[in-house]
Amino acid sequence: MNNDKLLALELAKSFIQNKNVQPISGKGEIEYLFDNTIYPFSTIVDHFLTNIEEMNEWE
């Protein structure tokens, strides 16, 4: 796994540990409730990865 994916995974794990993020049972995977919106874990990881990739283009 490349460094960008590992960083996105670590950021997602840190995010879900926030006291404002609540785990809930989803369809096939654990989902998380944040700010009245439900996010699957894969969507959270993808969000961070997309932003990391965009920042890499700044260089």
Side-chain angles (χ1 to χ4, degrees), residues 8-32:
L9 186 58
E10 289 301 316
L11 289 169
K13 289 192 306 188
S14 179
F15 174 77
I16 64 172
Q17 292 174 0
N18 184 307
K19 68 178 181 174
N20 297 319
V21 178
Q22 301 297 319
I24 58 174
S25 180
K27 296 179 181 176
E29 69 177 314
I30 297 174
E31 296 177 327
Y32 296 88

Side-chain angles (χ1 to χ4, degrees), residues 18-56:
N18 184 307
K19 68 178 181 174
N20 297 319
V21 178
Q22 301 297 319
I24 58 174
S25 180
K27 296 179 181 176
E29 69 177 314
I30 297 174
E31 296 177 327
Y32 296 88
L33 178 64
F34 175 71
D35 197 27
N36 294 322
T37 305
I38 297 172
Y39 300 98
F41 185 73
S42 58
T43 300
I44 297 168
V45 174
D46 185 59
H47 169 77
F48 285 112
L49 183 58
T50 299
N51 284 282
I52 291 167
E53 290 170 345
E54 287 180 15
M55 286 188 287
N56 285 339

